[in-house]
Amino acid sequence: MIRIYDYVLSGSCYKVRLFLSILGLDYEAVPVDFFPGRTHKSPEFLEINPLGQIPVLEDGDLTLRDAQAMLVYLAGKYDPARTWYPEDAEAQGRIAMWLAFAGGELMNASAARLHDMLSYDFDIEKVRAAAHDALRVLDDHLTDVEIGGGEWIVGGGPTIADIACFPYVALSGDGGVAHDDYHAVRRWMYRVKKIPGFVVMPGIFEN
């Protein structure tokens, strides 16, 4: 069975849980005491992931770190229709671009959230400004998509690009980064919540 080392408040862990649910896959969640226990930095956990980060996914003999890599793997192995990660090179390149965005620029929203919720020592004004910059990029892109008659970040249907970007956009309010000025983003979040198999986490609701 698939196993995920998990922290229920982590947006990165949530994106993997969300995709597992959408794919209808059974899995075992192994709780990690990220805060306050910081067991992800323990010698035992560093044997699993030497970077000391969550989530970690195990499937048979395979161990993966990085949530975006997990989405690629799960889509490639468990979505035979290849709708979530299409096989053509152009789509894969565009999806990879947004996966990098989810694991890069959008993580400023995560940093703001960690600051406000768990008192992490970040320059809060700097990370909030960077999070707003990222939301503007996504909102501009989704506005162009909607003008062209589309609804999703890449292509005609939802892909792992949408799953990767969704959590820390949806959770950004926890870090003082509101969605009020990002109308296309708000419409897109509503569409994501209507995907069959969608599940919630603390701070993210169905409506």
Side-chain angles (χ1 to χ4, degrees):
M1 178 181 288
I2 296 169
R3 178 182 296 115
I4 175 175
Y5 292 84
D6 182 44
Y7 178 58
V8 69
L9 296 179
S10 164
S12 294
C13 294
Y14 167 66
K15 70 180 68 175
V16 180
R17 297 197 310 269
L18 173 59
F19 194 44
L20 287 165
S21 177
I22 289 170
L23 293 176
L25 297 174
D26 293 328
Y27 66 95
E28 176 190 3
V30 180
V32 176
D33 186 4
F34 179 84
F35 184 88
R38 292 182 57 81
T39 56
H40 59 299
K41 300 298 185 182
S42 68
E44 294 79 12
F45 191 83
L46 292 174
E47 290 292 322
I48 300 169
N49 180 1
L51 297 182
Q53 299 170 347
I54 53 173
V56 174
L57 183 141
E58 295 177 343
D59 191 10
D61 294 332
L62 176 68
T63 300
L64 287 176
R65 60 178 183 255
D66 185 80
Q68 282 63 240
M70 296 171 201
L71 298 180
V72 171
Y73 167 72
L74 292 170
K77 183 168 183 179
Y78 294 107
D79 174 29
R82 296 306 298 267
T83 57
W84 289 96
Y85 188 56
E87 293 182 330
D88 69 280
E90 180 179 342
Q92 289 185 352
R94 294 170 64 199
I95 289 170
M97 179 176 69
W98 288 102
L99 294 182
F101 181 78
E105 287 81 2
L106 278 178
M107 294 305 289
N108 286 289
S110 172
R113 182 170 174 261
L114 287 170
H115 175 277
D116 284 11
M117 293 182 65
L118 302 181
S119 300
Y120 272 54
D121 185 18
F122 291 110
D123 182 337
I124 188 58
E125 296 307 320
K126 180 178 180 180
V127 295
R128 281 180 184 157
H132 277 294
D133 288 344
L135 286 177
R136 274 189 288 271
V137 168
L138 181 59
D139 195 71
D140 287 348
H141 172 72
L142 288 168
T143 299
D144 289 341
V145 164
E146 290 179 345
I147 290 171
E151 295 183 319
W152 306 100
I153 291 177
V154 175
T159 68
I160 57 172
D162 300 282
I163 304 302
C165 290
F166 175 77
Y168 284 121
V169 172
L171 291 166
S172 68
D174 290 344
V177 181
H179 305 131
D180 297 4
D181 295 332
Y182 309 111
H183 303 291
V185 163
R186 291 164 63 187
R187 291 189 292 269
W188 166 76
M189 288 194 297
Y190 177 82
R191 293 191 289 270
V192 172
K193 292 179 180 182
K194 297 303 178 183
I195 295 173
F198 179 83
V199 291
V200 300
M201 68 163 280
I204 296 179
F205 310 98
E206 290 185 355
N207 296 312

